[in-house]
Structure formats: structure tokens, C-alpha cells
Amino acid sequence: AASGQGLDREPDLRELYGTLMRSEAEEVRCQAAMLLERLAAKGAERSPEEELICRLAHEYPGDVGMFSVYFLDYVRIGAEERHRFIFCAPDEPHAYLSGDAVECMAMSDNVVRAGLTQKHKDVDALLSMLTYRDDLLADLVGSGERVAPCVVKYAPPVQDFVVYEIDGPVPEGLHLEKAAITTCVGGTFSVHFRPASVEHCSEGGMKHQAELGSSFFSKAGSSLVVDASTSGSGRLFVATY
């Protein structure tokens, strides 16, 4: 939620957001039309959030979710910030809007939706789950840490998972204490997984060619050894915990 006073404002946010999300569909359409008329009159003076509302109204006409822009932080990660990440904490609302992203998710069977979707919506369930905290932005948006010349580590503030990005050769190997899934999202690499019992980088493990869409599962204690991309550039992502 938009940055403010944390738990002190929880009752007010709960009441306001609950009233909004439970609004009748006809009232939502009427209010959306009046809002869009006012925003259209502002022209080039519209704020980024107001531009977003106009886009959402076009993509999801009449959807109450467009009004969530007034309650949630609008986070934009530009091309120059390629190592930024967003951690979607439990019971915090989020909406992915556009762009390419690598998503890593802990095991869950309770994804609940309430707007900006064609899928099933359960408004009451969502409203009952939310924390209504509005002081968590600094904890939810972070930057990856380059832990080796071609390795960036994305570590959220939980123990459920960690993600590594590899953008070049890792001849010494990236040691993975736990089981891991490695996926290639671009380029072509030669990779192999060195067992924990093997000490030298050149020993052990069958070599594989990793290209766009390739995925590999490795057991705990393996080290991922990566040769230079044969295409000149590319990226691998490793999900583990």
C-alpha cells in the first residue's frame, strides 16, 4: 500500500479499500467514466499514475481494479535498473502490469484475485487476507548483489527461495547447497553440474548445451559450471533456497 504510517492507518485503509472493492459494478462504471473524463481534460499534465489509470481502463474497462492505483505503490523498474527486484510478501496485494520478468514463487495454493483479471475473483477472501500495511515499500523492493564477476544474487527477506542470475562464464562453479532449477532465457551456454565429491572444475558432470528455454534440475551440493556463451551474450537464472 502507498507509503504512510504503517499499522496506525490499518483500520482506515481496511474500511476504504473494502468499500471500494465491494462497490456495485454499475457504480464502478459510472465513477470510472467520470474519472476518465477528468483525466482526459488534463492531457499532458497527467501524472504517471493517472496515465496508468487510463491504460488500465482501456485494457480492463469497467474493472474496479483501476482504482487500486490510488491505494498501491506504482513501482517502475527501467532498463537501466536490470538488477532490481520486487518481493511480493504474503498477504500483500500486487499487480504485474507490463514488461518481462523472471518470477520465483514458493509453493502455494491460495493465489487470490480481485481485479484486473479475466480469471476467477474472490473479493471477500482477498480483503480478509490483506495486512493493510503502508510502510513496507523499502522492504519489498531491492537490488541484486553481484557475488562473482558474472553472478548476481537476488535474496528476498525470507528463507523460501533465492535466485541467481548468470550473465557470463563461471569456470570455478557456483556452489548450490540445496536442490536447484536452472533455466536459460537467452544465448547459448555450455554447462555442467559438478558433484560435491569432485574437487576440480574440469572433473565430473556431463556437459549440456543450454539455450533459450532449456531447464535443468540439480541435486543438493552440486556446483554449476558455466562456459562462455557461444552466442556472445545470454543469461541463466537459477532458483534454489
Side-chain angles (χ1 to χ4, degrees):
S3 299
Q5 303 300 319
L7 294 175
D8 293 342
R9 295 178 55 182
E10 182 270 338
D12 295 334
L13 284 172
R14 183 182 295 273
E15 180 180 0
L16 285 170
Y17 198 60
T19 300
L20 166 67
M21 297 303 291
R22 293 190 177 100
S23 299
E24 296 293 334
E26 184 57 36
E27 180 65 15
V28 171
R29 285 191 289 269
C30 178
Q31 294 299 325
M34 290 191 291
L35 173 60
L36 292 172
E37 184 177 350
R38 293 198 300 272
L39 295 183
K42 294 183 68 172
E45 296 180 359
R46 288 192 294 266
S47 68
E49 289 78 9
E50 290 170 337
E51 290 288 355
L52 175 60
I53 289 174
C54 293
R55 177 160 68 86
L56 294 177
H58 175 73
E59 296 175 356
Y60 301 94
D63 193 308
V64 68
M66 62 180 284
F67 290 100
S68 289
V69 174
Y70 290 112
F71 289 83
L72 306 183
D73 290 294
Y74 181 25
V75 179
R76 293 173 291 174
I77 297 178
E80 71 283 0
E81 303 175 289
R82 57 173 292 180
H83 298 310
R84 298 279 282 172
F85 70 89
I86 299 174
F87 171 59
C88 298
D91 301 329
E92 296 298 333
H94 70 276
Y96 164 76
L97 299 171
S98 64
D100 295 327
V102 171
E103 179 179 6
C104 185
M105 181 177 177
M107 290 190 298
S108 173
D109 61 357
N110 64 343
V111 176
V112 180
R113 303 173 180 87
L116 304 180
T117 180
Q118 302 301 322
K119 299 179 180 179
H120 174 71
K121 301 176 184 178
D122 192 334
V123 174
D124 289 334
L126 180 80
L127 293 175
S128 68
M129 293 166 53
L130 301 182
T131 67
Y132 297 95
R133 294 284 300 274
D134 64 351
D135 60 344
L136 298 176
L137 185 61
D139 297 325
L140 303 182
V141 180
S143 296
E145 175 189 5
R146 190 166 288 278
V147 295
C150 296
V151 181
V152 177
K153 180 181 181 180
Y154 300 93
V158 293
Q159 299 299 315
D160 300 75
F161 54 83
V162 62
V163 174
Y164 293 94
E165 178 184 357
I166 297 174
D167 54 15
V170 188
E172 72 283 3
L174 173 63
H175 181 66
L176 301 168
E177 293 185 1
K178 305 294 181 61
I181 297 173
T182 300
T183 300
C184 180
V185 300
T188 303
F189 296 87
S190 176
V191 305
H192 72 274
F193 296 89
R194 190 175 70 241
S197 58
V198 177
E199 296 182 359
H200 301 291
C201 294
S202 60
E203 300 177 2
M206 179 183 298
K207 286 197 173 184
H208 307 275
Q209 179 170 288
E211 55 189 14
L212 179 63
S214 298
S215 293
F216 306 92
F217 178 82
S218 57
K219 64 182 181 180
S222 302
S223 290
L224 170 59
V225 179
V226 182
D227 293 334
S229 173
T230 59
S231 64
S233 63
R235 285 188 293 168
L236 298 167
F237 282 90
V238 183
T240 185
Y241 61 102

